[in-house]
Structures are given as structure tokens and as C-alpha cells.
Amino acid sequence: MKKIEIIQKEIIDEFNLFDDWMQRYEYMIDLGKSIPTIDPKNKNDKNIINGCQSKVWVHAELKENKVLYTADSDAIITKGIIALLLRVFSNQHPRDILLADTSFIDKIGLKEHLSPTRANGLLSMVKQLKMYAVAYQTQVK
Amino acid sequence: MKKIEIIQKEIIDEFNLFDDWMQRYEYMIDLGKSIPTIDPKNKNDKNIINGCQSKVWVHAELKENKVLYTADSDAIITKGIIALLLRVFSNQHPRDILLADTSFIDKIGLKEHLSPTRANGLLSMVKQLKMYAVAYQTQVK
Amino acid sequence: MIDINKIRKDFPILNRKINGNRLIYFDNAATSQTPSVVVEEIANYYYNYNSNIHRGVHSLSQEATEAYEKSRKIIQSNFNAKYNHEIIFTSGSTHGINLVASGYAHLLKKGDEIILSAMEHHSNIVPWQMLCEKTGAKLKVAPMNSDGVLIMEEYNKMCNKNTKLVVISHVSNALGTINPIKSILSIAHSNNAVVLIDGAQAAPHIKIDVQDLDIDFYVVSGHKLMGPTGVGVLYGKEKLLKLLPPYQGGGEMIDQVTFEKTTYAGLPHKFEAGTPNIAGGIAMGKAVEYINEIGYEAIAQYENTLLRYATSELLKIEGLKIYGESENKTAVISFNIKSIHPYDIGTILDKLGIAVRTGHHCAQPIMDFFEIPGTIRVSFSFYNTKEEIDFMVNSIKRAKSMLG
Amino acid sequence: MIDINKIRKDFPILNRKINGNRLIYFDNAATSQTPSVVVEEIANYYYNYNSNIHRGVHSLSQEATEAYEKSRKIIQSNFNAKYNHEIIFTSGSTHGINLVASGYAHLLKKGDEIILSAMEHHSNIVPWQMLCEKTGAKLKVAPMNSDGVLIMEEYNKMCNKNTKLVVISHVSNALGTINPIKSILSIAHSNNAVVLIDGAQAAPHIKIDVQDLDIDFYVVSGHKLMGPTGVGVLYGKEKLLKLLPPYQGGGEMIDQVTFEKTTYAGLPHKFEAGTPNIAGGIAMGKAVEYINEIGYEAIAQYENTLLRYATSELLKIEGLKIYGESENKTAVISFNIKSIHPYDIGTILDKLGIAVRTGHHCAQPIMDFFEIPGTIRVSFSFYNTKEEIDFMVNSIKRAKSMLG
Ligand SMILES: Cc1ncc(COP(=O)(O)O)c(C=O)c1O
Ligand SMILES: Cc1ncc(COP(=O)(O)O)c(C=O)c1O
């Protein structure tokens, strides 16, 4: 398991290679397509986050003291950002998840997607990721 | 009986003698004080015009085919303008009253007092004067 | 004829850069841009005669009152209302609809019916649902066909002696359909039903004569009409407005107040409680003047050219489907491309400086009807150009190839 | 400390000439003047990022939404509200009061009691009368003494387990009295009653901490707070706002809409149906910032100096009687001179460029209490000066000798 800061640093470095927004978005769209798919039975109304424009589903489970997240969205760019968020947050210890922030999204030029006024459900998703971590923290030793 | 236009002309000439608004207003206030008082029994709720700021009472009767108006107000400047209006309209034939306008008020620099947005009841009073004239016109030969 | 270069100079915002590109504003159905004369009217108000209106004896208050009432008359004349007191200033279409819907709580009872159309904006649905909850009246939905056109035979069938209200958008914000309000009015009136027309999307594009059309209630929003936010107008026939109780209590709307009993003022004050949006009301009059200077006919002709051009260019994109294919449309095009999510296209277009609206456009029932989560909606105004449309079409192609 | 020369430059309107004289604006309790920064904020909105807020994917919509929500936070912090969603944008105090009063229709029943004070503005009387009519609840009036001060023992007596609501102006617009809201809140809360405070006249002069004072509902108007017309704010405790049903139906305030059923959005959107006064909301935040830059303490101190000076100068005029003689006042002086009609004095003062308000000030019950048709009301702001007061006092003397 890599530490959260290290993964964030990796992502920032990757994005630094891109010359313009087009390349960044193309990459994100690719990420969105390659996102490990959520188990259809977990893509249910209980796990939905309504972002008014695009929908987001998040599922979490605890495995060997780490939180495994799976997620999906009906919009591909949203999915791309989800892929980045999962790369950072999934398979980490709840405590580390709670301490982590999402400022790397800002640093790679995608800040607007996490704006509280954005109607894409991503900010609520981040909150949801943290909520799961809070819940699971009580279950780990 | 002088014709309405002649009276209006006289008033305009009188006001032309004044140098400034102070003199005009002092004159109006004097007029307001000297207004022939309305018979107390006619200063009733039926004859009231609510101008929100100052109240106006108007009474009318027909005498020898002419309309005799009496009126009053609780504000003295309003009373002054009433005095001018009565000088023009009272003791005239209903037909002449209906034809007359109030542009002389404008010409003597008191336009603002007859503005539809002025909360002094004067414009409603003018309407009321005309209403009486309409009503009495049917009674004269 | 539209002098496009001259007109574009009236809208300084059109020079904005978005992500390095010149702004292309195709979100006019959400909010229109505001010409300088309107903004200057607002500034002029605050710099020269800002004051509370009515009841004031001092000059500023007189000036403000006169400007506000003059604006009411400009709007009266724009819609050819019979009396200026039939023009009620509101804070927008939503407010106007709620004012009427709330007033009818006293006038409806169980068994009464309200007909609305399948293509209403939420603002013209929810207040009527609330009214039905209060009164036990029933909501009936007049259907549309797959072109987004109302099925008029259904109106004929649905409308009967129980029908008390018919509510209908003059133009659908999500589809652009111009509804046959003349026929609807005539069907409704022949059943003694009262008609409220939501003109939010029509007023910027179509000249309306409320007397000629015999319209009962009509609502518009200033911010869609080249005017400021926070102001709108409800037109109502005098005799219908008189039937409605006051909506809000407060200053302005009263005649006499004691703790025991309050008597209400006449129209329009009865419905204008409290200090209104004075600057907004005055500026809305200016906006209406501005539109009339350009001329509704010239606007309609120009915007129609844009609509037809954009429609044919967009349809050249493979997999693009347009929702709302009435013959009779304002310059609004709602579409989707295959299974690409509208949000994705909207995001890419924004990167290129193009503002379009994506989503359900506050008309979820329309989306449910077409079984889609939302659309991309482009809506034009008379300051838009063919060049902008070309750039958009190319950008959509680019987005499609990125996302496809 | 107030730097009066600097401040006056912020208000271009103060250079206006009225009837040849420099404007002296003493009608601040009706509407405050608007500093350039606020007007520029409005113009900046229209020239640079005018757009409908929320739900928009494009940059303009994002910018507008962020500016609007930032303003909400500025206002939240000004009143020290716990959550930003406790700040509801309204079109003004009247709207805020009506929103709450209308919401309580579902929560009150016959036998419940509402206490309001004898010195309320019509906007804080009529909505409660309407509520009582709907629910059968009873309106009780807490009396004041001849100084225009509430008789607190009466509150203690009137307030009991039937009391559901206590409504009170923080500051009386007609008298200037600052009411002891802390005591009133404590009496009401000890009886489990909810308190709505009409802060229209207080917010421009007094720093309010809603958490510290444990305030339930508080309403203000932008246009009295150096802000624009057509916007205001309702503060409500989260748990109380949640109890209220939505006030208006429309866009923004919904979660899901079908023709069968609609679910409502959370706070604050539930109460913000339709396109709000976006420019106004943003500019109101700017106005609140402007006031805080000067500082509430400096303002209070300066205005109090003006109040005391004007009071003592006015009282030198023979026959002048002041209504409202509380120790605790904002800079408002209501008076009459012998039997001279307020309208006459107001008219002469206007000729001399002085804007004062005359009449019942939307508080007829106060006029009835003092058995007068109205008063002349002068109300100061921090941009007024002693020299202006001197000129006014001389002008009143002149008017008196003309009219006497
Ligand atoms: C004490 C008080 N309450 C309420 C109001 C109503 O405010 P608005 O007219 O801005 O809605 C006013 C304004 O005159 C007021 O002075
Ligand atoms: C057809 C229609 N009706 C009503 C509204 C509501 O207008 P407002 O938000 O200005 O109140 C809109 C605006 O989106 C609309 O398009």
C-alpha cells in the first residue's frame, strides 16, 4: 500500500506532463472509461448521490482494515475524477482517509469540478467517502 | 361669472409677480387660511378623499345651473391649492367644468402637487370635482 | 433589420473571455444578457434618486415613484393591458404564478379541476400541486406528442365544467415549442375556466397583446427579458385580480391598519406589499423599451434565421437527436448525442467558451416523457451570430470525438 | 472613528441638488443611500458574469453561483449564524415575515396566541392578522408607555403556555426605540414561544449575534442596509426552518418533480423558489462588507452624537414635541410642531433640499396611540453631518414661521 500523499504526488506529476486542458480531459475521459466497474447490485438507490446533473454511486467495504471503494457515474468526466479519487482513497486505512484532503484536484487544474456549487455530485461523493471512513474506523483495531 | 380661462389667466398673472418659491408658498398659505370654510356638516366621511398624507373634503351643490364647491383639508398648503382650484372651478356651469383642465397649476410652478404619485389627495379631488360636474350636467338644461 | 454589430456593442459581457476563448452565450433561455442602457438605468437610480416610493413628500421619493410608475406604464403598453393597475410588479415568474395559485385557494373546492400541460416548468407545476393539496382540486395533465407539441384534441376532451383553471406555458423552456394559446384560451373560456399563461420564455421573443388575445393572467421575468434579476410582472384582468385576496401583508398594500382590523388598498398595491425592487422595476421598463426599439418583428425574424441555421447544422452531426420539433418554435434547441451524457458535452463546450445549459431544465416531467436524464439546450438571442453557431457546431464535433 | 469626508465621497447622490439646494437626506429609515462600491458590484455582475445560478455547468453560471453563495456566507458571518443555510435570501423584510407567518399556518391552532408589540410596522402586523384569520389564533398587543417604551411587566403577564409566537421589532421605525429583545427572548423562550424579530431598522445600526442572543427568526431588508432594493434576508434557526413548509413552489426549491408527487430540496433552497435577485443578493453582501469596514461601533457612536445633537437643537423650537423618548434609540426623531400638519413642514423642507418623511410611517397604530395623524420623521445615517442638522433646524424654524 502506497501512502496517500505519495499517490497524490504521482497524480500531480502525471498531469504536469500535459500541455493543455484538452490532454488533461482526454486522459480523464480515458480514466473514466477504465474505472473498475462497481458491482451492479451495489449500483442501487441506497448508494446514489444526486448531483442534479450527473449521478454518482459509491459503495464501500472494509477488508483487512482498509476501506475498499467502488463507484460509478453516468457522466464520463465525472467518472474520470472518480477514478482519481478512488486511486487516492481506496485501499487505505480509515484513519488516513480521514486525514487526507483533495487539494491535489486543485493542483491538477480540475478544481472547478469539486466546487460546492457544481451540480455533479462529486463534492457530496468526497463527503460520502469520508463518512464511510468514519464509520469503519470504529471497526478497525 | 368670469370664464374659466380668464380666471386661470388671472392666477397665472398673479403668480408671475412672485420672485421665488417662498413668495408663492407664502401666498398659498395665506390662501389656505382664507379659504371659505366648508359647512361642518359637509366635512363628513362621505365627502372625504384619503390622500394618505393629508385629507381632503369636497362638497358640491347645484345652484342656478352652476356647481358650487366647498372644500377643506387638514394641511394648509393643500388648502391653498384647493383655494386656487375652487376659484377656477366653483360657480361654473358643469359643461365648462368638464372642459377645463388644470394646467394652470403647472404654469404657476406647483405641478408637483398634482402629480399622481403625490400623497396629498389633490388629484383625486380634481377627479371628484369633475365627477360632480358629470352628475349635475344631467340636471341642468 | 438587426444591426448586429451595433447591438453587440450594447452587451459588454460578450467581450468576456472564458478559458481563453471569447464567450459564446447560448444560455439565453435561462437568463438573457443585459444591455448597458439597463445597467446604467440601475446605476442612475442609485446615484441620483434612490428613495423609497409612494407616500413620500420629498423630491427624491417623488422622482423614484414617478420613474417606477412610468415603468409600469411602459410595461402596460408593451402588453397592451387596459389599465396600468393590471400590471403587478413581482420578483419574477415564479412569484407571479405563486401569487395567483395561492389566491385561488379561496376560490377552488374539491371536485374542481386544473389542467396543465405536459411541458411545464417546475415553477408552473409545483404551485398548482400545492393548491390542489390545499383545496382538494384535481390536477390533470394535457399530453404532448413526440414532437413536443400539445395534442389539442385532448384539451377539448379534458376541459369541462369542472375545469376552473388552465395553466400553460406560452413557450416551453426545455423544447422551445410555441403553444397555441389562442386555441387553448378559447377552449378554456368556452368552459368558463380562467387561463394563466407562463410567458417567461415568450415575452423576450413574441409581441403579446393581452386584450386582443383575451388573456386572463400572464407572468414574465425581467431577467429573461434583457432586464435585471429579482423583478417580474404579473398581468391580470382587473376583475380577476379583484377576486384574489392579497398575497402578502405589509406596508403599501394596506388602506387602514388597526390591531382589530385591516382594510386593503386597491390594485396594484394590494399585491405589492413592502418596499418593492424599485431599481429593478425601473430598469425592467428600460429593458422593455430597449426590446421595442429593436422591434419584436426584427427580433423574431433574426432569431428564426439562427434557429433554422443551427438546427440544420446540428442535424448534420451523426447521432444527434433534437427534442422539440414543432413547426412553431422560439430559438431553443434541446438535443442529445447518442448516449453521451449532456454534462460531459456541456463541460467540454465550457472549456471552449460556450455557455449552454445541460440537465433537466427544471422540467423533469419532459425528461421523463422522453426517458432521458436531460438534454443539452442551446438558446439564442438577437445578439448571437451564425459565426458563433459555426464555432459551437465544430466544438460539439470535437467534444463528441473526445467523448465518443 | 468616522472619516466623514471620505465616507461622503462614497455616496455620489449626496451631491444632488434639490430645488437649487444641496440634498440633505434625512430619510434613512425609509431607505438608506447606496455606496458606489455596491452599485459597482451590481454593474460588475451584469457586465461580467450575469447568469442564472445553481445547476449550471458553464463558467458564468459557476461564477455567479459562487458570488451569490459567498454573499450568503458574508451575511452569515455578519449575524454569526451557525450555518450558511440558515440565511434565506428574500426580497425584503416584508417577504421574510410573510414567509414565516405563512409557514405557521400549519403549526398553529385555535387557542394559540401571538404577541406583538404596540409599535410594529404594518409589515409586522398584517401577516400575523392574516395568520390569525387562517388558524383562529389570537393576536395580543403588548403595550408601550408614552415615551414609546414597551412595558416589560406586561410581557411577563401576557406570555403564557398558549403563547406560540412573539413578534417584535428590534427597533421601531416610527419612534427609534431600541427594544429589549434579550429580555423578550428570555420571557418568550421560558414559555416555549418562538420569537421573530423584525430587524429592518436595527441591522443598519446595531451588530447582531443571533447565536449569542439565541434569536429564532430575524428579518432584514437590503435597501435599508446600504444595499440594493428587492433583496433581504431571513435568518432562522435550522430546526425551526425545517419545521416550516416551503413558501413558494418553483425551480430551485425542488428535489424531484413528477405530476404525482414533488419532493422538496433542503435548506436554504426550499425557501428560494425561482430565479432569485442574483445581482441584489451579491450586492447585499458587498453592502454588509462596506458597513463592517466602517465598523458598527464607530457607526453607533457617530450616529448617537448626531441623535443627541439634533434632539437638543430641535427641542429648542417652541412647540415642538418629540414622539419616542426612550433612553435607548437609534438616530430617528419623530416630532410635530403644535398643530402644524407634518405634510406642510415636509413640503417646505423639501423646497430647501431636505428629505424627511412625513405621515404615519406605516405604523398607524402608533399614530392612533398618540392621537396624531402623523409625524415628521428625520433619521440619520453615518454620512450625515451636524452642519446638515443645523441647516434643517433653521429650515424648520423658517417653515414654522411661514406656516404658524
Ligand atoms: C420596522 C420595519 N419593519 C418592516 C419594514 C418593511 O421592510 P420592507 O419594506 O423592506 O419589506 C420596514 C420598512 O419600512 C420597517 O421599518
Ligand atoms: C417556462 C418558464 N416558466 C417559469 C420560469 C421561472 O422563472 P423565474 O425563475 O424567473 O421565476 C422559467 C425560468 O426558468 C421558465 O423558463
Side-chain angles (χ1 to χ4, degrees), chain C residues 274-275, chain D residues 29 92-95 97 121 123 169 171 173 198 200-201 221 223-224:
Chain C
T275 305
Chain D
S93 298
T94 303
H95 178 195
I97 296 168
H121 186 278
S123 287
S169 49
V171 169
N173 70 309
D198 171 355
Q201 293 294 336
S221 294
H223 71 96
K224 296 192 200 277

PDB file of all heavy atoms in Angstrom, chain C residues 274-275, chain D residues 29 92-95 97 121 123 169 171 173 198 200-201 221 223-224, ligand 1:
ATOM      1  N   GLY C 274     -44.809  45.788   0.960  1.00  0.00           N
ATOM      2  CA  GLY C 274     -43.406  46.060   1.271  1.00  0.00           C
ATOM      3  C   GLY C 274     -42.731  46.897   0.213  1.00  0.00           C
ATOM      4  O   GLY C 274     -43.297  47.204  -0.830  1.00  0.00           O
ATOM      5  N   THR C 275     -41.498  47.260   0.506  1.00  0.00           N
ATOM      6  CA  THR C 275     -40.717  48.031  -0.463  1.00  0.00           C
ATOM      7  C   THR C 275     -40.386  47.136  -1.639  1.00  0.00           C
ATOM      8  O   THR C 275     -39.790  46.077  -1.456  1.00  0.00           O
ATOM      9  CB  THR C 275     -39.418  48.523   0.191  1.00  0.00           C
ATOM     10  OG1 THR C 275     -39.752  49.248   1.380  1.00  0.00           O
ATOM     11  CG2 THR C 275     -38.642  49.411  -0.763  1.00  0.00           C
TER      12      THR C 275
ATOM     13  N   ALA D  29     -34.314  55.980   7.423  1.00  0.00           N
ATOM     14  CA  ALA D  29     -35.078  54.858   7.955  1.00  0.00           C
ATOM     15  C   ALA D  29     -36.001  54.268   6.887  1.00  0.00           C
ATOM     16  O   ALA D  29     -36.416  53.116   6.988  1.00  0.00           O
ATOM     17  CB  ALA D  29     -35.885  55.280   9.177  1.00  0.00           C
ATOM     18  N   GLY D  92     -37.073  41.080   0.800  1.00  0.00           N
ATOM     19  CA  GLY D  92     -37.089  42.158   1.784  1.00  0.00           C
ATOM     20  C   GLY D  92     -37.706  41.682   3.085  1.00  0.00           C
ATOM     21  O   GLY D  92     -38.160  40.538   3.191  1.00  0.00           O
ATOM     22  N   SER D  93     -37.733  42.560   4.073  1.00  0.00           N
ATOM     23  CA  SER D  93     -38.273  42.185   5.387  1.00  0.00           C
ATOM     24  C   SER D  93     -39.706  41.695   5.282  1.00  0.00           C
ATOM     25  O   SER D  93     -40.087  40.703   5.914  1.00  0.00           O
ATOM     26  CB  SER D  93     -38.247  43.391   6.326  1.00  0.00           C
ATOM     27  OG  SER D  93     -36.943  43.819   6.538  1.00  0.00           O
ATOM     28  N   THR D  94     -40.510  42.408   4.495  1.00  0.00           N
ATOM     29  CA  THR D  94     -41.914  42.036   4.370  1.00  0.00           C
ATOM     30  C   THR D  94     -42.044  40.598   3.892  1.00  0.00           C
ATOM     31  O   THR D  94     -42.833  39.815   4.431  1.00  0.00           O
ATOM     32  CB  THR D  94     -42.611  42.993   3.380  1.00  0.00           C
ATOM     33  OG1 THR D  94     -42.444  44.323   3.863  1.00  0.00           O
ATOM     34  CG2 THR D  94     -44.084  42.678   3.244  1.00  0.00           C
ATOM     35  N   HIS D  95     -41.264  40.241   2.900  1.00  0.00           N
ATOM     36  CA  HIS D  95     -41.279  38.882   2.367  1.00  0.00           C
ATOM     37  C   HIS D  95     -40.868  37.881   3.447  1.00  0.00           C
ATOM     38  O   HIS D  95     -41.512  36.837   3.626  1.00  0.00           O
ATOM     39  CB  HIS D  95     -40.341  38.832   1.156  1.00  0.00           C
ATOM     40  CG  HIS D  95     -40.206  37.487   0.516  1.00  0.00           C
ATOM     41  ND1 HIS D  95     -39.213  37.183  -0.368  1.00  0.00           N
ATOM     42  CD2 HIS D  95     -40.925  36.353   0.633  1.00  0.00           C
ATOM     43  CE1 HIS D  95     -39.319  35.927  -0.757  1.00  0.00           C
ATOM     44  NE2 HIS D  95     -40.352  35.403  -0.166  1.00  0.00           N
ATOM     45  N   ILE D  97     -41.072  38.125   6.716  1.00  0.00           N
ATOM     46  CA  ILE D  97     -42.106  37.973   7.746  1.00  0.00           C
ATOM     47  C   ILE D  97     -43.258  37.133   7.199  1.00  0.00           C
ATOM     48  O   ILE D  97     -43.761  36.227   7.865  1.00  0.00           O
ATOM     49  CB  ILE D  97     -42.606  39.356   8.215  1.00  0.00           C
ATOM     50  CG1 ILE D  97     -41.465  40.125   8.899  1.00  0.00           C
ATOM     51  CG2 ILE D  97     -43.799  39.208   9.163  1.00  0.00           C
ATOM     52  CD1 ILE D  97     -41.752  41.596   9.146  1.00  0.00           C
ATOM     53  N   HIS D 121     -44.406  47.917  12.683  1.00  0.00           N
ATOM     54  CA  HIS D 121     -44.624  48.365  11.306  1.00  0.00           C
ATOM     55  C   HIS D 121     -45.744  47.500  10.712  1.00  0.00           C
ATOM     56  O   HIS D 121     -45.897  46.341  11.086  1.00  0.00           O
ATOM     57  CB  HIS D 121     -43.314  48.144  10.544  1.00  0.00           C
ATOM     58  CG  HIS D 121     -43.296  48.666   9.143  1.00  0.00           C
ATOM     59  ND1 HIS D 121     -43.825  47.970   8.086  1.00  0.00           N
ATOM     60  CD2 HIS D 121     -42.788  49.800   8.617  1.00  0.00           C
ATOM     61  CE1 HIS D 121     -43.639  48.665   6.965  1.00  0.00           C
ATOM     62  NE2 HIS D 121     -43.015  49.779   7.263  1.00  0.00           N
ATOM     63  N   SER D 123     -45.884  45.871   8.174  1.00  0.00           N
ATOM     64  CA  SER D 123     -45.362  44.598   7.661  1.00  0.00           C
ATOM     65  C   SER D 123     -45.231  43.556   8.753  1.00  0.00           C
ATOM     66  O   SER D 123     -45.154  42.366   8.469  1.00  0.00           O
ATOM     67  CB  SER D 123     -43.984  44.805   7.021  1.00  0.00           C
ATOM     68  OG  SER D 123     -44.123  45.472   5.803  1.00  0.00           O
ATOM     69  N   SER D 169     -40.335  44.267  16.762  1.00  0.00           N
ATOM     70  CA  SER D 169     -39.300  44.966  16.015  1.00  0.00           C
ATOM     71  C   SER D 169     -38.113  45.206  16.933  1.00  0.00           C
ATOM     72  O   SER D 169     -38.286  45.579  18.092  1.00  0.00           O
ATOM     73  CB  SER D 169     -39.830  46.299  15.499  1.00  0.00           C
ATOM     74  OG  SER D 169     -40.455  47.021  16.529  1.00  0.00           O
ATOM     75  N   VAL D 171     -35.977  47.532  16.393  1.00  0.00           N
ATOM     76  CA  VAL D 171     -36.027  48.995  16.509  1.00  0.00           C
ATOM     77  C   VAL D 171     -37.304  49.467  15.831  1.00  0.00           C
ATOM     78  O   VAL D 171     -37.624  49.018  14.727  1.00  0.00           O
ATOM     79  CB  VAL D 171     -34.804  49.643  15.834  1.00  0.00           C
ATOM     80  CG1 VAL D 171     -34.985  51.157  15.706  1.00  0.00           C
ATOM     81  CG2 VAL D 171     -33.523  49.334  16.595  1.00  0.00           C
ATOM     82  N   ASN D 173     -39.494  51.755  13.647  1.00  0.00           N
ATOM     83  CA  ASN D 173     -39.172  52.699  12.568  1.00  0.00           C
ATOM     84  C   ASN D 173     -39.761  54.073  12.816  1.00  0.00           C
ATOM     85  O   ASN D 173     -39.220  55.076  12.389  1.00  0.00           O
ATOM     86  CB  ASN D 173     -39.658  52.160  11.217  1.00  0.00           C
ATOM     87  CG  ASN D 173     -41.163  52.162  11.103  1.00  0.00           C
ATOM     88  OD1 ASN D 173     -41.845  51.655  11.984  1.00  0.00           O
ATOM     89  ND2 ASN D 173     -41.689  52.760  10.041  1.00  0.00           N
ATOM     90  N   ASP D 198     -38.123  41.632  13.911  1.00  0.00           N
ATOM     91  CA  ASP D 198     -38.081  42.439  12.695  1.00  0.00           C
ATOM     92  C   ASP D 198     -36.890  43.388  12.830  1.00  0.00           C
ATOM     93  O   ASP D 198     -36.950  44.385  13.548  1.00  0.00           O
ATOM     94  CB  ASP D 198     -39.411  43.193  12.592  1.00  0.00           C
ATOM     95  CG  ASP D 198     -39.401  44.221  11.477  1.00  0.00           C
ATOM     96  OD1 ASP D 198     -38.346  44.414  10.842  1.00  0.00           O
ATOM     97  OD2 ASP D 198     -40.456  44.844  11.252  1.00  0.00           O
ATOM     98  N   ALA D 200     -35.459  45.162  10.449  1.00  0.00           N
ATOM     99  CA  ALA D 200     -35.319  46.094   9.327  1.00  0.00           C
ATOM    100  C   ALA D 200     -34.610  47.379   9.746  1.00  0.00           C
ATOM    101  O   ALA D 200     -33.718  47.865   9.052  1.00  0.00           O
ATOM    102  CB  ALA D 200     -36.695  46.412   8.728  1.00  0.00           C
ATOM    103  N   GLN D 201     -34.971  47.910  10.918  1.00  0.00           N
ATOM    104  CA  GLN D 201     -34.405  49.190  11.353  1.00  0.00           C
ATOM    105  C   GLN D 201     -33.166  49.026  12.214  1.00  0.00           C
ATOM    106  O   GLN D 201     -32.478  50.010  12.489  1.00  0.00           O
ATOM    107  CB  GLN D 201     -35.464  49.982  12.140  1.00  0.00           C
ATOM    108  CG  GLN D 201     -36.642  50.446  11.328  1.00  0.00           C
ATOM    109  CD  GLN D 201     -36.249  51.470  10.272  1.00  0.00           C
ATOM    110  OE1 GLN D 201     -35.247  52.163  10.396  1.00  0.00           O
ATOM    111  NE2 GLN D 201     -37.042  51.551   9.213  1.00  0.00           N
ATOM    112  N   SER D 221     -33.876  44.039   5.535  1.00  0.00           N
ATOM    113  CA  SER D 221     -34.043  44.499   4.152  1.00  0.00           C
ATOM    114  C   SER D 221     -32.718  45.050   3.651  1.00  0.00           C
ATOM    115  O   SER D 221     -32.097  45.876   4.337  1.00  0.00           O
ATOM    116  CB  SER D 221     -35.072  45.630   4.076  1.00  0.00           C
ATOM    117  OG  SER D 221     -36.350  45.177   4.405  1.00  0.00           O
ATOM    118  N   HIS D 223     -32.239  47.216   1.249  1.00  0.00           N
ATOM    119  CA  HIS D 223     -32.265  48.638   0.872  1.00  0.00           C
ATOM    120  C   HIS D 223     -32.171  49.579   2.067  1.00  0.00           C
ATOM    121  O   HIS D 223     -32.011  50.775   1.893  1.00  0.00           O
ATOM    122  CB  HIS D 223     -33.538  48.952   0.066  1.00  0.00           C
ATOM    123  CG  HIS D 223     -34.789  48.922   0.881  1.00  0.00           C
ATOM    124  ND1 HIS D 223     -35.346  50.057   1.418  1.00  0.00           N
ATOM    125  CD2 HIS D 223     -35.579  47.898   1.271  1.00  0.00           C
ATOM    126  CE1 HIS D 223     -36.434  49.719   2.094  1.00  0.00           C
ATOM    127  NE2 HIS D 223     -36.600  48.410   2.021  1.00  0.00           N
ATOM    128  N   LYS D 224     -32.304  49.043   3.265  1.00  0.00           N
ATOM    129  CA  LYS D 224     -32.115  49.885   4.456  1.00  0.00           C
ATOM    130  C   LYS D 224     -30.717  49.702   5.020  1.00  0.00           C
ATOM    131  O   LYS D 224     -30.358  50.303   6.018  1.00  0.00           O
ATOM    132  CB  LYS D 224     -33.137  49.503   5.529  1.00  0.00           C
ATOM    133  CG  LYS D 224     -34.584  49.774   5.120  1.00  0.00           C
ATOM    134  CD  LYS D 224     -35.515  49.658   6.302  1.00  0.00           C
ATOM    135  CE  LYS D 224     -36.947  49.441   5.894  1.00  0.00           C
ATOM    136  NZ  LYS D 224     -37.661  50.665   5.563  1.00  0.00           N
TER     137      LYS D 224
HETATM  138  C1  LIG E   1     -39.604  48.138  11.280  1.00  0.00           C
HETATM  139  C2  LIG E   1     -39.846  47.785   9.859  1.00  0.00           C
HETATM  140  N1  LIG E   1     -40.287  46.555   9.552  1.00  0.00           N
HETATM  141  C3  LIG E   1     -40.512  46.169   8.281  1.00  0.00           C
HETATM  142  C4  LIG E   1     -40.319  47.031   7.237  1.00  0.00           C
HETATM  143  C5  LIG E   1     -40.620  46.554   5.856  1.00  0.00           C
HETATM  144  O1  LIG E   1     -39.450  46.473   5.110  1.00  0.00           O
HETATM  145  P1  LIG E   1     -39.544  46.302   3.521  1.00  0.00           P
HETATM  146  O2  LIG E   1     -40.455  47.372   3.040  1.00  0.00           O
HETATM  147  O3  LIG E   1     -38.139  46.481   3.055  1.00  0.00           O
HETATM  148  O4  LIG E   1     -40.077  44.936   3.255  1.00  0.00           O
HETATM  149  C6  LIG E   1     -39.848  48.319   7.496  1.00  0.00           C
HETATM  150  C7  LIG E   1     -39.625  49.263   6.389  1.00  0.00           C
HETATM  151  O5  LIG E   1     -40.205  50.287   6.260  1.00  0.00           O
HETATM  152  C8  LIG E   1     -39.625  48.704   8.834  1.00  0.00           C
HETATM  153  O6  LIG E   1     -39.188  49.933   9.133  1.00  0.00           O
END
